[in-house]
Amino acid sequence: MTASAMRAWQVRRPGAMSTSPLTLATVPVPEPGPGELLVAVRACGVCRTDLHVTEGDLPVHRPNVTPGHEVVGEVVGIGDGVTAFAPGERVGVAWLRHTCGSCRFCLRGQENLCPASLYTGWDADGGYAEFTTVPAAFALPLPTGYADEALAPLLCAGIIGYRALLRADLPEKGRLGIYGFGGSAHLTAQVAIAQGAEVHVMTRGQQARELALDLGAASAQGATDMPPVALDAAILFAPVGELVLPALEALDRGGTLSIAGIHLSDIPALNYQRHLFQERQVRSVTSNTRADAHAFLDFARRHRLEVTSPQYPLDRADVALADLSAGRIAGAAVLTVGAN
């Protein structure tokens, strides 16, 4: 029998982590509506987007929202009309929660651009809690062979990194630069290397540089340093607009810079000759499609990914976000909630 009450973190007053914007509350367990699943959370990844929601970089969509959109859990309740899942199944709950299915973007396979899209942990309560709900149409079957804590970061860090890599148009066996090396980047690097790319990492932390080399990067240097070779493509994971300029300057002719974040600080003035000429280009990444999610999780099924996931108990979610904000996390932090 499902409990009637649960622990859940809520963003009561968006602001810097030093102002204690999160509160751990006891609230009723949600009821799954028609077409929804009730999921007992086992693990939830700690994503930089959660930090943006908590600190107010992203505008409030739902007062007192519970963050978290990299949820691994067990189906414990089923709403009317659900036939694709059964109680006891392990499922993933990701960032994209709803699209209209009928706009021109949805109809041409770009549901991530749907104007009516809704998001877990922003528009609806997410996984920094003991239970959450998800529309069954957006719940993700998960690959076997991974612990809950290893799967959780795949559900945003992995998926968004995968889409950012697609947007970068990296040629076969090309040279890829990665700027910032946190949860998403350390997974994307492994995908690129498995596909034959030569990966060069630019990031501020010595621990992150060591992790990059351990995972097979050809080089690792400071965040603003030039890589040892000209790049065919680059992905910016750090939400730092100032890094756009050195990333563009590091591109070879025809190179593409893909910016993976939902939030980016202001970009300084570009110099056309230094940064864009010779058909270099910049692309943003907006969420992901369910097709992206399924393709990436299938890749993870076929290629074992090493997931660096320092763990925090649910009641230390505020500490995990503070550590993320301060750059004290290598890899992708995960909240442990229930038993595997």
Side-chain angles (χ1 to χ4, degrees):
M1 180 179 294
T2 303
S4 60
M6 67 175 187
R7 294 176 300 153
W9 286 93
Q10 297 179 328
V11 182
R12 293 286 179 87
R13 298 174 306 277
M17 291 307 300
S18 60
T19 67
S20 301
L22 286 171
T23 298
L24 183 59
T26 299
V27 299
V29 173
E31 292 284 340
E36 290 187 342
L37 306 174
L38 176 64
V39 176
V41 179
R42 301 303 183 216
C44 184
V46 178
C47 179
R48 188 164 291 277
T49 300
D50 302 332
L51 184 63
H52 292 320
V53 171
T54 301
E55 294 196 318
D57 295 324
L58 296 178
V60 172
H61 279 191
R62 177 184 174 90
N64 299 328
V65 71
T66 295
H69 57 274
E70 297 177 314
V71 180
V72 175
E74 177 186 346
V75 177
V76 294
I78 294 180
D80 292 343
V82 175
T83 59
F85 294 93
E89 286 191 58
R90 185 166 69 162
V91 297
V93 182
W95 175 239
L96 187 65
R97 180 184 180 87
H98 167 82
T99 56
C100 73
S102 59
C103 71
R104 62 194 181 102
F105 299 105
C106 287
L107 292 177
R108 69 190 189 199
Q110 294 177 300
E111 66 177 1
N112 59 309
L113 301 180
C114 174
S117 56
L118 300 174
Y119 301 96
T120 307
W122 194 17
D123 297 293
D125 290 332
Y128 285 26
E130 293 175 307
F131 296 90
T132 193
T133 62
V134 61
F138 287 80
L140 298 173
L142 297 172
T144 59
Y146 291 86
D148 295 341
E149 294 78 12
L151 278 172
L154 303 187
L155 295 171
C156 182
I159 294 169
I160 290 297
Y162 182 79
R163 183 168 184 85
L165 183 59
L166 295 177
R167 294 281 290 163
D169 273 348
L170 180 68
E172 185 176 358
K173 296 184 179 179
R175 297 165 171 173
L176 175 68
I178 291 180
Y179 289 79
F181 204 73
S184 191
H186 95 287
L187 296 171
T188 307
Q190 293 178 66
V191 175
I193 290 168
Q195 294 175 341
E198 177 184 316
V199 173
H200 299 271
V201 172
M202 279 59 67
T203 192
R204 64 179 177 172
Q206 179 61 33
Q207 188 178 8
R209 291 194 290 271
E210 291 172 0
L211 176 60
L213 294 173
D214 288 344
L215 292 174
S219 74
Q221 42 271 313
T224 60
D225 292 342
M226 289 293 287
V229 295
L231 304 173
D232 298 305
I235 305 174
L236 175 59
F237 287 102
V240 182
E242 288 84 355
L243 292 179
V244 169
L245 302 190
L248 284 172
E249 197 165 356
L251 291 176
D252 208 342
R253 299 176 179 216
T256 298
L257 171 62
S258 174
I259 300 177
I262 192 172
H263 172 78
L264 187 72
S265 61
D266 290 343
I267 301 171
L270 291 166
N271 178 286
Y272 179 70
Q273 296 294 330
R274 287 178 58 191
H275 301 122
L276 284 179
F277 190 53
Q278 303 290 359
E279 299 195 355
R280 287 173 284 185
Q281 60 181 320
V282 183
R283 288 180 167 180
S284 67
V285 176
T286 299
S287 185
N288 63 275
T289 66
R290 281 172 286 178
D292 294 328
H294 290 295
F296 170 71
L297 291 173
D298 182 62
F299 183 96
R301 178 184 60 80
R302 293 180 287 108
H303 300 267
R304 177 71 189 187
L305 297 173
E306 296 299 324
V307 186
T308 301
S309 52
Q311 297 173 26
Y312 297 74
L314 176 62
D315 61 8
R316 289 177 60 81
D318 55 342
V319 176
L321 281 178
D323 286 348
L324 178 62
S325 178
R328 292 189 288 263
I329 293 175
V334 173
L335 304 179
T336 55
V337 183
N340 288 325

